[in-house]
Structure formats: C-alpha cells, structure tokens
Amino acid sequence: MIRRFYQNHRALFQKLDTLWLRSPILTRGLAIAPLIVVCNSVLRACALSLCYGLMLVLTVIFSRPIPQTLPYTIRVILNVSIAAILFIPASYLTELWFPGSLSRLGLYLPLLTVSSLIVQHTPIRFHRMPFRSMVLDLILNAGGFFLLAVCLGFVRELLGRGQLYGTDLSISFTVPAILLPFSGFLLMGMAAALAKKVYLFLNRTPRSKRKEKRNHE
Amino acid sequence: MNEFFLSLKDAFLNSTVTALTVIFVENAIFTRALGVSTAFSIVKKKGYLLPFGLVLTWITLASSFLSFSFEPFISKLPSAYYFRPLLYVLMIGVVYILTLSLCRALSKRFYPTLRPMIHLSAFNGAVFGSMYLCNLSRYRLLDIVPFSLGIGIGFMLAVYLLSLGYDRLNSDKISPSFRGFPIMLIYTGFLSLAFYGLIGHELVF
C-alpha cells in the first residue's frame, strides 16, 4: 500500500528524496567527514547542521551570478571563497546559539568550506537548475544533513555517554567506543544501507506486474 | 663537523618518524575521515591511484608550506579563527592555478589526464585538513615536508586498501541494499577500527 502510494505520487516524492532516500550524503558520501568524526551528540549535530545549512544555501545563491563563461577553475575558487567568507557569520551565529561549539567541532567546522557539495555540486548541479528548484533542492540537502546528524548524534550520545542533549539519563551500561570515528563509519554505513533498502522497496515493480511481464516475455 | 652530521641524522630520523606516523598510525582517511568522499570516487578508477596520489601530495606540500609561511601574520589577526578558512582557500587557489599552469607547460601529453585529478584534489578535505593540522601540531619547517608527504602517501595507502575490497564488495554476493557505497563505508569502518587499535586513543582535531 505504501509502495503504491509512493509510485502513484512519484513526481512529488522524487523531489523530496534528497531529504533522505537519495541524499548525496548517503548515496555518495559528500560532506560525510564531520558527521563521522565529531557528530557524537545532539548538541554538536545541531551546531554543525546550522553552520552547514547556512553556508550551503547562501553560498550557492550568492555564487549563482558568477558567469558560466569563466573557466571552471576560477568558478570553483570563487565558489569556495564565497563559502569561506560566509563561514565568518555562519560560525559566529553557531557560537552565539551553541556556546563552545567552535572548540568542540575543531577543524571540522571550517572544513565545511571545502565540502564536496559546495566545491563539486555547485557548478555542475545546482547552478544548472532553475532558481526555485535549486532553492528547494538546497533546503532539502541542508534538511537531510540536519536529520542525519541529529539521528546519528542521538544514537551516539545515548549509547556512548548515556545522555540526551547533555542531560544525564543515568543509564548504567554505555559503549564509549561508539563516540569514536570508526563507529561513525559503521553507523553511516548502516544508515546508507537502510535508505537504499527503503528506496529499492518503494521503487520495485509490484509482484503482479512482474508476473505479467514475465508471462508476456 | 661531527655535530653537523649528528644533527643531520637527528633531523632525518625525526622526519622519518613523522612521515611513518602520519602514513600508518594517524592515517588521514581512517583516523580523521579527511578526504573520504574523494577516496570513494577514486577507488572506482584504479589507474588513477598513483597519479592522483602524487598530485594530492604536491598540493598538500605546497599549501602546507604556504600556510606555515603566513602563520605568523595570520595568528596576529584579530579573530584569526574566522578569517583562517578564507586565507587558506586563497592559498590553495594559488597552488591550484600554479599546478594547472605548470602541468600544461611541462607536459602537454599528460595534461588532459592530470587536469581532472588536479580539480578533484585541490579543494579536498585532506589538503585543507593538513593545513589546519600543521598549525594545530605547531610543526616546524622541517616537519612540514614529512608531514605533507605522509598525508599524500597515507591517502594513497588508504585508497589502495579500499580498492582491494571494492570489486568484491560490489559483486552480486552482497545484498542489494548493502552493495556499493553502504558496504564500502562499513569496510572503511573496520579498517578504521584496526588503525584505532594502533593509536589507542582519540586524536586531537
């Protein structure tokens, strides 16, 4: 039933797929490093997502007027420079709303400046889309990053520290190893597999139609 | 004269230890996930491994050297934290253009092959991260060369290890939902766990 509903409204859902099922983070690993290493609490996840969302959306919008006639190298340098300029207000706001996050996130906050989504996707994907679709895609990308970061931060904080948003839940059994980068890789792998499983399920042709096709052949 | 040779020996030993540590113990991909998305895209093209690694090593070395040279000025800036990414991006930009121009001038035959690799490796997490780590570890000029070489060679080693499993992890024997990217991440996680066993503690970032 869910699959039929999805397939009947495929055009709408395909637009929203960037949020989770076809998110470039889960399908190609773009902008994955901060999630793997530093995203081990909900607070860090929120701080990281705020900075990333602001930088991604504003960089792509502000770099749109850069003429396509310029050589690719120059366009990339200009895009990343705009991202680095926007890092100043974005990180300032992040520190204002989540005090201490600059030191907690270390080099992974400035690393967002050279995120593959900004460097590679901006000139070859985002700038080739109509403005409205581009803004929607950017918001979905940022939203997808936020959802993934919060889920990952929630699981790692709960199991690794026995806390939730910094509040101790008095859980006696914790697994501190889940806070380390290798657990980040493993959990991201599981999340990517889950997203792919759901995507394959939703896009599979129903059994009756498959039988019909086989009989026809 | 004897003292000179002794200090030369010390410098050589220190550099070797730094490079080996960065390659085998503090591998940029397995311990800090720097440049991991680029590694996943390179792993599909096995012929790219060596030239890409060399290009990345050169860009890391040149950018780290530039960032080291300008560090005294950068650290004096008010709110240096906020301006550092912009200055690092400009430095990488200079190295990026210089590398493309040098490649075009020196080898017209290899330029079309090397150009996409230069595009891919310039604004890369490994390059940008190594500039930050040089500053974080307070390396001296002599340490910059082995550190940058270590980052580049470590990246090549990591991509080589990933490429060994790539074909098998993309075969029909793997369940469709895990096949490809998800299982590669899990495989990287196990390799990362092995590298973590060598260090025994979390690295600074």
Side-chain angles (χ1 to χ4, degrees), chain A residues 26 29 32-33 37-38 73 88 91 104 106-108 110 116 180 182 185 196, chain B residues 32-33 36-37 82 100 119-120 128 132 176-177 179 181 189 192 196 205:
Chain A
L26 288 176
I32 207 172
V37 184
V38 287
T73 313
I88 301 168
S91 56
R104 270 190 226 116
L107 69 89
Y108 289 90
S116 329
L180 295 167
F182 67 82
F185 278 115
K196 201 171 172 186
Chain B
R32 291 190 170 102
V36 73
S37 57
Y82 296 106
L100 277 170
H119 288 319
L120 205 59
F128 199 74
Y132 264 90
S177 44
R179 197 180 301 154
F181 181 68
S192 170
Y196 174 75
F205 51 81

PDB file of all heavy atoms in Angstrom, chain A residues 26 29 32-33 37-38 73 88 91 104 106-108 110 116 180 182 185 196, chain B residues 32-33 36-37 82 100 119-120 128 132 176-177 179 181 189 192 196 205:
ATOM      1  N   LEU A  26      24.193  10.100   1.820  1.00  0.00           N
ATOM      2  CA  LEU A  26      24.018   8.656   1.980  1.00  0.00           C
ATOM      3  C   LEU A  26      24.255   7.863   0.699  1.00  0.00           C
ATOM      4  O   LEU A  26      24.403   6.646   0.745  1.00  0.00           O
ATOM      5  CB  LEU A  26      22.610   8.352   2.502  1.00  0.00           C
ATOM      6  CG  LEU A  26      22.354   8.722   3.962  1.00  0.00           C
ATOM      7  CD1 LEU A  26      20.912   8.460   4.334  1.00  0.00           C
ATOM      8  CD2 LEU A  26      23.274   7.963   4.890  1.00  0.00           C
ATOM      9  N   GLY A  29      28.432   9.948  -0.201  1.00  0.00           N
ATOM     10  CA  GLY A  29      29.358  10.291   0.880  1.00  0.00           C
ATOM     11  C   GLY A  29      29.863  11.719   0.844  1.00  0.00           C
ATOM     12  O   GLY A  29      30.940  12.019   1.363  1.00  0.00           O
ATOM     13  N   ILE A  32      30.646  14.049   4.381  1.00  0.00           N
ATOM     14  CA  ILE A  32      30.430  12.988   5.372  1.00  0.00           C
ATOM     15  C   ILE A  32      31.422  13.065   6.550  1.00  0.00           C
ATOM     16  O   ILE A  32      31.111  12.594   7.654  1.00  0.00           O
ATOM     17  CB  ILE A  32      30.489  11.614   4.657  1.00  0.00           C
ATOM     18  CG1 ILE A  32      29.671  10.578   5.407  1.00  0.00           C
ATOM     19  CG2 ILE A  32      31.896  11.136   4.448  1.00  0.00           C
ATOM     20  CD1 ILE A  32      29.517   9.274   4.675  1.00  0.00           C
ATOM     21  N   ALA A  33      32.597  13.655   6.329  1.00  0.00           N
ATOM     22  CA  ALA A  33      33.663  13.621   7.358  1.00  0.00           C
ATOM     23  C   ALA A  33      33.226  14.203   8.717  1.00  0.00           C
ATOM     24  O   ALA A  33      33.425  13.548   9.744  1.00  0.00           O
ATOM     25  CB  ALA A  33      34.905  14.330   6.847  1.00  0.00           C
ATOM     26  N   VAL A  37      33.191  11.995  12.360  1.00  0.00           N
ATOM     27  CA  VAL A  37      34.148  12.234  13.450  1.00  0.00           C
ATOM     28  C   VAL A  37      33.548  13.001  14.636  1.00  0.00           C
ATOM     29  O   VAL A  37      33.696  12.578  15.773  1.00  0.00           O
ATOM     30  CB  VAL A  37      35.414  12.958  12.910  1.00  0.00           C
ATOM     31  CG1 VAL A  37      36.450  13.133  14.014  1.00  0.00           C
ATOM     32  CG2 VAL A  37      36.023  12.174  11.774  1.00  0.00           C
ATOM     33  N   VAL A  38      32.897  14.131  14.365  1.00  0.00           N
ATOM     34  CA  VAL A  38      32.501  14.980  15.502  1.00  0.00           C
ATOM     35  C   VAL A  38      31.024  14.917  15.884  1.00  0.00           C
ATOM     36  O   VAL A  38      30.643  15.456  16.917  1.00  0.00           O
ATOM     37  CB  VAL A  38      32.897  16.462  15.278  1.00  0.00           C
ATOM     38  CG1 VAL A  38      34.384  16.630  15.415  1.00  0.00           C
ATOM     39  CG2 VAL A  38      32.385  17.002  13.978  1.00  0.00           C
ATOM     40  N   THR A  73      38.058  26.392 -13.232  1.00  0.00           N
ATOM     41  CA  THR A  73      38.967  26.605 -12.095  1.00  0.00           C
ATOM     42  C   THR A  73      38.618  27.887 -11.349  1.00  0.00           C
ATOM     43  O   THR A  73      38.526  27.899 -10.116  1.00  0.00           O
ATOM     44  CB  THR A  73      40.420  26.701 -12.618  1.00  0.00           C
ATOM     45  OG1 THR A  73      40.640  25.637 -13.514  1.00  0.00           O
ATOM     46  CG2 THR A  73      41.426  26.669 -11.497  1.00  0.00           C
ATOM     47  N   ILE A  88      32.344  33.124   8.101  1.00  0.00           N
ATOM     48  CA  ILE A  88      32.525  34.090   9.216  1.00  0.00           C
ATOM     49  C   ILE A  88      31.202  34.322   9.955  1.00  0.00           C
ATOM     50  O   ILE A  88      31.112  34.050  11.143  1.00  0.00           O
ATOM     51  CB  ILE A  88      33.175  35.404   8.699  1.00  0.00           C
ATOM     52  CG1 ILE A  88      34.537  35.090   8.073  1.00  0.00           C
ATOM     53  CG2 ILE A  88      33.323  36.424   9.833  1.00  0.00           C
ATOM     54  CD1 ILE A  88      35.146  36.214   7.278  1.00  0.00           C
ATOM     55  N   SER A  91      29.704  30.796  11.380  1.00  0.00           N
ATOM     56  CA  SER A  91      30.347  30.242  12.588  1.00  0.00           C
ATOM     57  C   SER A  91      30.102  31.153  13.795  1.00  0.00           C
ATOM     58  O   SER A  91      29.990  30.677  14.924  1.00  0.00           O
ATOM     59  CB  SER A  91      31.841  30.026  12.366  1.00  0.00           C
ATOM     60  OG  SER A  91      32.441  31.220  11.969  1.00  0.00           O
ATOM     61  N   ARG A 104      34.573  22.643  20.272  1.00  0.00           N
ATOM     62  CA  ARG A 104      34.146  21.236  20.262  1.00  0.00           C
ATOM     63  C   ARG A 104      34.243  20.627  18.859  1.00  0.00           C
ATOM     64  O   ARG A 104      34.556  19.472  18.707  1.00  0.00           O
ATOM     65  CB  ARG A 104      32.691  21.134  20.739  1.00  0.00           C
ATOM     66  CG  ARG A 104      32.594  20.960  22.240  1.00  0.00           C
ATOM     67  CD  ARG A 104      31.187  20.611  22.650  1.00  0.00           C
ATOM     68  NE  ARG A 104      30.795  21.421  23.782  1.00  0.00           N
ATOM     69  CZ  ARG A 104      29.826  22.311  23.774  1.00  0.00           C
ATOM     70  NH1 ARG A 104      29.116  22.499  22.700  1.00  0.00           N
ATOM     71  NH2 ARG A 104      29.556  23.014  24.847  1.00  0.00           N
ATOM     72  N   GLY A 106      36.209  21.742  16.392  1.00  0.00           N
ATOM     73  CA  GLY A 106      37.594  21.822  15.908  1.00  0.00           C
ATOM     74  C   GLY A 106      37.703  22.191  14.443  1.00  0.00           C
ATOM     75  O   GLY A 106      36.994  23.081  13.963  1.00  0.00           O
ATOM     76  N   LEU A 107      38.536  21.455  13.717  1.00  0.00           N
ATOM     77  CA  LEU A 107      38.767  21.807  12.307  1.00  0.00           C
ATOM     78  C   LEU A 107      37.614  21.380  11.407  1.00  0.00           C
ATOM     79  O   LEU A 107      37.571  21.722  10.226  1.00  0.00           O
ATOM     80  CB  LEU A 107      40.089  21.217  11.813  1.00  0.00           C
ATOM     81  CG  LEU A 107      40.242  19.717  11.638  1.00  0.00           C
ATOM     82  CD1 LEU A 107      39.838  19.273  10.246  1.00  0.00           C
ATOM     83  CD2 LEU A 107      41.689  19.325  11.862  1.00  0.00           C
ATOM     84  N   TYR A 108      36.659  20.609  11.957  1.00  0.00           N
ATOM     85  CA  TYR A 108      35.568  20.110  11.113  1.00  0.00           C
ATOM     86  C   TYR A 108      34.532  21.179  10.774  1.00  0.00           C
ATOM     87  O   TYR A 108      33.757  21.008   9.843  1.00  0.00           O
ATOM     88  CB  TYR A 108      34.911  18.875  11.745  1.00  0.00           C
ATOM     89  CG  TYR A 108      35.839  17.712  11.653  1.00  0.00           C
ATOM     90  CD1 TYR A 108      36.752  17.447  12.670  1.00  0.00           C
ATOM     91  CD2 TYR A 108      35.895  16.935  10.515  1.00  0.00           C
ATOM     92  CE1 TYR A 108      37.664  16.411  12.564  1.00  0.00           C
ATOM     93  CE2 TYR A 108      36.798  15.892  10.394  1.00  0.00           C
ATOM     94  CZ  TYR A 108      37.675  15.643  11.424  1.00  0.00           C
ATOM     95  OH  TYR A 108      38.588  14.624  11.293  1.00  0.00           O
ATOM     96  N   PRO A 110      35.421  24.601  10.024  1.00  0.00           N
ATOM     97  CA  PRO A 110      35.956  25.251   8.816  1.00  0.00           C
ATOM     98  C   PRO A 110      36.053  24.310   7.626  1.00  0.00           C
ATOM     99  O   PRO A 110      36.036  24.759   6.481  1.00  0.00           O
ATOM    100  CB  PRO A 110      37.352  25.729   9.234  1.00  0.00           C
ATOM    101  CG  PRO A 110      37.557  25.350  10.631  1.00  0.00           C
ATOM    102  CD  PRO A 110      36.340  24.734  11.179  1.00  0.00           C
ATOM    103  N   SER A 116      32.396  18.721  -0.414  1.00  0.00           N
ATOM    104  CA  SER A 116      32.248  18.319  -1.827  1.00  0.00           C
ATOM    105  C   SER A 116      30.967  18.869  -2.436  1.00  0.00           C
ATOM    106  O   SER A 116      30.902  19.129  -3.632  1.00  0.00           O
ATOM    107  CB  SER A 116      32.221  16.803  -1.942  1.00  0.00           C
ATOM    108  OG  SER A 116      32.975  16.199  -0.969  1.00  0.00           O
ATOM    109  N   LEU A 180      33.663   7.132  18.806  1.00  0.00           N
ATOM    110  CA  LEU A 180      34.898   7.236  18.008  1.00  0.00           C
ATOM    111  C   LEU A 180      34.611   7.177  16.500  1.00  0.00           C
ATOM    112  O   LEU A 180      33.558   6.673  16.087  1.00  0.00           O
ATOM    113  CB  LEU A 180      35.854   6.117  18.413  1.00  0.00           C
ATOM    114  CG  LEU A 180      36.346   6.232  19.865  1.00  0.00           C
ATOM    115  CD1 LEU A 180      37.014   4.954  20.312  1.00  0.00           C
ATOM    116  CD2 LEU A 180      37.288   7.415  20.015  1.00  0.00           C
ATOM    117  N   PHE A 182      35.568   5.295  14.024  1.00  0.00           N
ATOM    118  CA  PHE A 182      35.245   4.026  13.337  1.00  0.00           C
ATOM    119  C   PHE A 182      33.769   3.660  13.497  1.00  0.00           C
ATOM    120  O   PHE A 182      33.151   3.113  12.580  1.00  0.00           O
ATOM    121  CB  PHE A 182      36.171   2.884  13.774  1.00  0.00           C
ATOM    122  CG  PHE A 182      36.028   2.434  15.209  1.00  0.00           C
ATOM    123  CD1 PHE A 182      35.031   1.554  15.572  1.00  0.00           C
ATOM    124  CD2 PHE A 182      36.895   2.895  16.172  1.00  0.00           C
ATOM    125  CE1 PHE A 182      34.904   1.125  16.884  1.00  0.00           C
ATOM    126  CE2 PHE A 182      36.786   2.482  17.493  1.00  0.00           C
ATOM    127  CZ  PHE A 182      35.776   1.603  17.849  1.00  0.00           C
ATOM    128  N   PHE A 185      31.783   5.564  10.931  1.00  0.00           N
ATOM    129  CA  PHE A 185      31.775   4.893   9.616  1.00  0.00           C
ATOM    130  C   PHE A 185      30.729   3.767   9.606  1.00  0.00           C
ATOM    131  O   PHE A 185      29.951   3.648   8.661  1.00  0.00           O
ATOM    132  CB  PHE A 185      33.152   4.285   9.331  1.00  0.00           C
ATOM    133  CG  PHE A 185      34.168   5.237   8.782  1.00  0.00           C
ATOM    134  CD1 PHE A 185      35.304   5.572   9.491  1.00  0.00           C
ATOM    135  CD2 PHE A 185      34.005   5.780   7.519  1.00  0.00           C
ATOM    136  CE1 PHE A 185      36.261   6.431   8.977  1.00  0.00           C
ATOM    137  CE2 PHE A 185      34.951   6.639   6.987  1.00  0.00           C
ATOM    138  CZ  PHE A 185      36.088   6.961   7.724  1.00  0.00           C
ATOM    139  N   LYS A 196      18.916   2.799   1.240  1.00  0.00           N
ATOM    140  CA  LYS A 196      18.902   2.096  -0.046  1.00  0.00           C
ATOM    141  C   LYS A 196      17.833   0.998  -0.058  1.00  0.00           C
ATOM    142  O   LYS A 196      17.144   0.802  -1.059  1.00  0.00           O
ATOM    143  CB  LYS A 196      20.293   1.490  -0.309  1.00  0.00           C
ATOM    144  CG  LYS A 196      20.549   1.192  -1.759  1.00  0.00           C
ATOM    145  CD  LYS A 196      21.980   0.820  -1.987  1.00  0.00           C
ATOM    146  CE  LYS A 196      22.182   0.339  -3.399  1.00  0.00           C
ATOM    147  NZ  LYS A 196      23.530  -0.169  -3.607  1.00  0.00           N
TER     148      LYS A 196
ATOM    149  N   ARG B  32      40.776  10.314  10.716  1.00  0.00           N
ATOM    150  CA  ARG B  32      40.108  11.625  10.757  1.00  0.00           C
ATOM    151  C   ARG B  32      39.078  11.798   9.646  1.00  0.00           C
ATOM    152  O   ARG B  32      38.468  12.865   9.548  1.00  0.00           O
ATOM    153  CB  ARG B  32      41.142  12.743  10.672  1.00  0.00           C
ATOM    154  CG  ARG B  32      42.017  12.858  11.917  1.00  0.00           C
ATOM    155  CD  ARG B  32      42.839  14.130  11.878  1.00  0.00           C
ATOM    156  NE  ARG B  32      43.498  14.387  13.141  1.00  0.00           N
ATOM    157  CZ  ARG B  32      44.790  14.157  13.377  1.00  0.00           C
ATOM    158  NH1 ARG B  32      45.543  13.649  12.425  1.00  0.00           N
ATOM    159  NH2 ARG B  32      45.325  14.437  14.546  1.00  0.00           N
ATOM    160  N   ALA B  33      38.910  10.788   8.813  1.00  0.00           N
ATOM    161  CA  ALA B  33      37.939  10.812   7.700  1.00  0.00           C
ATOM    162  C   ALA B  33      38.140  12.009   6.772  1.00  0.00           C
ATOM    163  O   ALA B  33      37.191  12.491   6.157  1.00  0.00           O
ATOM    164  CB  ALA B  33      36.501  10.786   8.228  1.00  0.00           C
ATOM    165  N   VAL B  36      37.461  11.633   2.571  1.00  0.00           N
ATOM    166  CA  VAL B  36      36.906  10.290   2.391  1.00  0.00           C
ATOM    167  C   VAL B  36      35.998  10.190   1.160  1.00  0.00           C
ATOM    168  O   VAL B  36      36.020   9.170   0.455  1.00  0.00           O
ATOM    169  CB  VAL B  36      36.211   9.822   3.705  1.00  0.00           C
ATOM    170  CG1 VAL B  36      34.919  10.518   3.966  1.00  0.00           C
ATOM    171  CG2 VAL B  36      35.983   8.325   3.707  1.00  0.00           C
ATOM    172  N   SER B  37      35.254  11.259   0.847  1.00  0.00           N
ATOM    173  CA  SER B  37      34.376  11.190  -0.330  1.00  0.00           C
ATOM    174  C   SER B  37      35.200  11.145  -1.617  1.00  0.00           C
ATOM    175  O   SER B  37      34.827  10.461  -2.575  1.00  0.00           O
ATOM    176  CB  SER B  37      33.401  12.374  -0.352  1.00  0.00           C
ATOM    177  OG  SER B  37      34.099  13.575  -0.331  1.00  0.00           O
ATOM    178  N   TYR B  82      38.078  33.106  12.475  1.00  0.00           N
ATOM    179  CA  TYR B  82      37.050  33.320  11.456  1.00  0.00           C
ATOM    180  C   TYR B  82      37.650  33.567  10.070  1.00  0.00           C
ATOM    181  O   TYR B  82      37.037  33.267   9.066  1.00  0.00           O
ATOM    182  CB  TYR B  82      36.166  34.505  11.861  1.00  0.00           C
ATOM    183  CG  TYR B  82      35.387  34.258  13.133  1.00  0.00           C
ATOM    184  CD1 TYR B  82      35.748  34.869  14.331  1.00  0.00           C
ATOM    185  CD2 TYR B  82      34.303  33.388  13.148  1.00  0.00           C
ATOM    186  CE1 TYR B  82      35.043  34.625  15.502  1.00  0.00           C
ATOM    187  CE2 TYR B  82      33.595  33.134  14.301  1.00  0.00           C
ATOM    188  CZ  TYR B  82      33.966  33.757  15.477  1.00  0.00           C
ATOM    189  OH  TYR B  82      33.272  33.500  16.627  1.00  0.00           O
ATOM    190  N   LEU B 100      48.046  23.762 -12.276  1.00  0.00           N
ATOM    191  CA  LEU B 100      47.454  23.587 -13.612  1.00  0.00           C
ATOM    192  C   LEU B 100      48.360  24.193 -14.686  1.00  0.00           C
ATOM    193  O   LEU B 100      48.617  23.572 -15.723  1.00  0.00           O
ATOM    194  CB  LEU B 100      46.076  24.255 -13.664  1.00  0.00           C
ATOM    195  CG  LEU B 100      44.897  23.442 -13.118  1.00  0.00           C
ATOM    196  CD1 LEU B 100      43.659  24.316 -13.008  1.00  0.00           C
ATOM    197  CD2 LEU B 100      44.590  22.234 -14.005  1.00  0.00           C
ATOM    198  N   HIS B 119      41.706  19.081 -10.386  1.00  0.00           N
ATOM    199  CA  HIS B 119      40.417  19.662  -9.977  1.00  0.00           C
ATOM    200  C   HIS B 119      39.886  18.970  -8.725  1.00  0.00           C
ATOM    201  O   HIS B 119      39.357  19.613  -7.828  1.00  0.00           O
ATOM    202  CB  HIS B 119      39.375  19.506 -11.091  1.00  0.00           C
ATOM    203  CG  HIS B 119      39.618  20.400 -12.272  1.00  0.00           C
ATOM    204  ND1 HIS B 119      40.020  21.695 -12.142  1.00  0.00           N
ATOM    205  CD2 HIS B 119      39.484  20.175 -13.599  1.00  0.00           C
ATOM    206  CE1 HIS B 119      40.151  22.231 -13.343  1.00  0.00           C
ATOM    207  NE2 HIS B 119      39.834  21.326 -14.235  1.00  0.00           N
ATOM    208  N   LEU B 120      40.048  17.649  -8.703  1.00  0.00           N
ATOM    209  CA  LEU B 120      39.485  16.859  -7.603  1.00  0.00           C
ATOM    210  C   LEU B 120      40.294  16.992  -6.312  1.00  0.00           C
ATOM    211  O   LEU B 120      39.745  16.934  -5.211  1.00  0.00           O
ATOM    212  CB  LEU B 120      39.435  15.380  -8.040  1.00  0.00           C
ATOM    213  CG  LEU B 120      38.421  14.468  -7.378  1.00  0.00           C
ATOM    214  CD1 LEU B 120      37.011  14.974  -7.599  1.00  0.00           C
ATOM    215  CD2 LEU B 120      38.551  13.056  -7.946  1.00  0.00           C
ATOM    216  N   PHE B 128      43.013  20.633   2.952  1.00  0.00           N
ATOM    217  CA  PHE B 128      42.560  21.691   3.873  1.00  0.00           C
ATOM    218  C   PHE B 128      42.827  21.269   5.331  1.00  0.00           C
ATOM    219  O   PHE B 128      43.318  22.058   6.140  1.00  0.00           O
ATOM    220  CB  PHE B 128      41.067  21.911   3.651  1.00  0.00           C
ATOM    221  CG  PHE B 128      40.554  23.226   4.162  1.00  0.00           C
ATOM    222  CD1 PHE B 128      40.837  24.402   3.506  1.00  0.00           C
ATOM    223  CD2 PHE B 128      39.768  23.280   5.290  1.00  0.00           C
ATOM    224  CE1 PHE B 128      40.353  25.606   3.963  1.00  0.00           C
ATOM    225  CE2 PHE B 128      39.277  24.478   5.761  1.00  0.00           C
ATOM    226  CZ  PHE B 128      39.561  25.650   5.093  1.00  0.00           C
ATOM    227  N   TYR B 132      45.375  22.795   8.560  1.00  0.00           N
ATOM    228  CA  TYR B 132      44.940  23.035   9.944  1.00  0.00           C
ATOM    229  C   TYR B 132      45.779  22.229  10.933  1.00  0.00           C
ATOM    230  O   TYR B 132      46.150  22.720  11.996  1.00  0.00           O
ATOM    231  CB  TYR B 132      43.457  22.670  10.103  1.00  0.00           C
ATOM    232  CG  TYR B 132      42.560  23.867   9.976  1.00  0.00           C
ATOM    233  CD1 TYR B 132      42.062  24.240   8.743  1.00  0.00           C
ATOM    234  CD2 TYR B 132      42.249  24.645  11.079  1.00  0.00           C
ATOM    235  CE1 TYR B 132      41.267  25.349   8.604  1.00  0.00           C
ATOM    236  CE2 TYR B 132      41.449  25.769  10.952  1.00  0.00           C
ATOM    237  CZ  TYR B 132      40.959  26.117   9.724  1.00  0.00           C
ATOM    238  OH  TYR B 132      40.173  27.233   9.595  1.00  0.00           O
ATOM    239  N   PRO B 176      21.603  -6.458  -2.229  1.00  0.00           N
ATOM    240  CA  PRO B 176      21.473  -5.203  -2.999  1.00  0.00           C
ATOM    241  C   PRO B 176      21.447  -3.937  -2.133  1.00  0.00           C
ATOM    242  O   PRO B 176      21.955  -2.904  -2.535  1.00  0.00           O
ATOM    243  CB  PRO B 176      20.153  -5.368  -3.739  1.00  0.00           C
ATOM    244  CG  PRO B 176      19.880  -6.807  -3.752  1.00  0.00           C
ATOM    245  CD  PRO B 176      20.551  -7.416  -2.585  1.00  0.00           C
ATOM    246  N   SER B 177      20.840  -4.031  -0.938  1.00  0.00           N
ATOM    247  CA  SER B 177      20.759  -2.811  -0.132  1.00  0.00           C
ATOM    248  C   SER B 177      22.110  -2.413   0.456  1.00  0.00           C
ATOM    249  O   SER B 177      22.353  -1.245   0.732  1.00  0.00           O
ATOM    250  CB  SER B 177      19.716  -2.962   0.970  1.00  0.00           C
ATOM    251  OG  SER B 177      19.838  -4.199   1.580  1.00  0.00           O
ATOM    252  N   ARG B 179      25.076  -3.333  -1.150  1.00  0.00           N
ATOM    253  CA  ARG B 179      26.044  -3.301  -2.237  1.00  0.00           C
ATOM    254  C   ARG B 179      26.476  -1.872  -2.584  1.00  0.00           C
ATOM    255  O   ARG B 179      25.664  -0.964  -2.589  1.00  0.00           O
ATOM    256  CB  ARG B 179      25.445  -3.965  -3.482  1.00  0.00           C
ATOM    257  CG  ARG B 179      26.467  -4.367  -4.530  1.00  0.00           C
ATOM    258  CD  ARG B 179      25.790  -5.000  -5.710  1.00  0.00           C
ATOM    259  NE  ARG B 179      25.028  -6.193  -5.309  1.00  0.00           N
ATOM    260  CZ  ARG B 179      23.963  -6.655  -5.967  1.00  0.00           C
ATOM    261  NH1 ARG B 179      23.518  -6.015  -7.024  1.00  0.00           N
ATOM    262  NH2 ARG B 179      23.338  -7.716  -5.551  1.00  0.00           N
ATOM    263  N   PHE B 181      28.106   1.661  -2.008  1.00  0.00           N
ATOM    264  CA  PHE B 181      28.538   2.643  -1.007  1.00  0.00           C
ATOM    265  C   PHE B 181      28.339   2.208   0.453  1.00  0.00           C
ATOM    266  O   PHE B 181      29.276   2.350   1.261  1.00  0.00           O
ATOM    267  CB  PHE B 181      27.840   3.982  -1.302  1.00  0.00           C
ATOM    268  CG  PHE B 181      28.217   5.062  -0.357  1.00  0.00           C
ATOM    269  CD1 PHE B 181      29.505   5.577  -0.351  1.00  0.00           C
ATOM    270  CD2 PHE B 181      27.307   5.563   0.548  1.00  0.00           C
ATOM    271  CE1 PHE B 181      29.875   6.566   0.538  1.00  0.00           C
ATOM    272  CE2 PHE B 181      27.662   6.551   1.435  1.00  0.00           C
ATOM    273  CZ  PHE B 181      28.946   7.058   1.435  1.00  0.00           C
ATOM    274  N   GLY B 189      35.020   1.387   8.036  1.00  0.00           N
ATOM    275  CA  GLY B 189      34.873   1.412   9.488  1.00  0.00           C
ATOM    276  C   GLY B 189      35.734   0.351  10.155  1.00  0.00           C
ATOM    277  O   GLY B 189      36.395   0.618  11.153  1.00  0.00           O
ATOM    278  N   SER B 192      39.268   1.384   9.869  1.00  0.00           N
ATOM    279  CA  SER B 192      39.474   2.479  10.813  1.00  0.00           C
ATOM    280  C   SER B 192      39.634   1.940  12.237  1.00  0.00           C
ATOM    281  O   SER B 192      40.461   2.441  13.014  1.00  0.00           O
ATOM    282  CB  SER B 192      38.283   3.431  10.714  1.00  0.00           C
ATOM    283  OG  SER B 192      38.303   4.360  11.725  1.00  0.00           O
ATOM    284  N   TYR B 196      42.690   2.450  14.714  1.00  0.00           N
ATOM    285  CA  TYR B 196      42.465   2.973  16.063  1.00  0.00           C
ATOM    286  C   TYR B 196      43.197   2.092  17.082  1.00  0.00           C
ATOM    287  O   TYR B 196      43.753   2.597  18.064  1.00  0.00           O
ATOM    288  CB  TYR B 196      40.967   3.026  16.378  1.00  0.00           C
ATOM    289  CG  TYR B 196      40.693   3.415  17.807  1.00  0.00           C
ATOM    290  CD1 TYR B 196      40.840   4.739  18.219  1.00  0.00           C
ATOM    291  CD2 TYR B 196      40.331   2.466  18.757  1.00  0.00           C
ATOM    292  CE1 TYR B 196      40.625   5.100  19.531  1.00  0.00           C
ATOM    293  CE2 TYR B 196      40.117   2.828  20.069  1.00  0.00           C
ATOM    294  CZ  TYR B 196      40.260   4.138  20.449  1.00  0.00           C
ATOM    295  OH  TYR B 196      40.062   4.495  21.757  1.00  0.00           O
ATOM    296  N   PHE B 205      41.525  17.251  17.179  1.00  0.00           N
ATOM    297  CA  PHE B 205      41.060  17.897  15.951  1.00  0.00           C
ATOM    298  C   PHE B 205      40.662  19.295  16.306  1.00  0.00           C
ATOM    299  O   PHE B 205      39.986  19.994  15.759  1.00  0.00           O
ATOM    300  CB  PHE B 205      39.929  17.119  15.266  1.00  0.00           C
ATOM    301  CG  PHE B 205      38.790  16.747  16.157  1.00  0.00           C
ATOM    302  CD1 PHE B 205      37.808  17.673  16.450  1.00  0.00           C
ATOM    303  CD2 PHE B 205      38.695  15.489  16.735  1.00  0.00           C
ATOM    304  CE1 PHE B 205      36.759  17.339  17.282  1.00  0.00           C
ATOM    305  CE2 PHE B 205      37.645  15.148  17.560  1.00  0.00           C
ATOM    306  CZ  PHE B 205      36.676  16.072  17.843  1.00  0.00           C
TER     307      PHE B 205
END
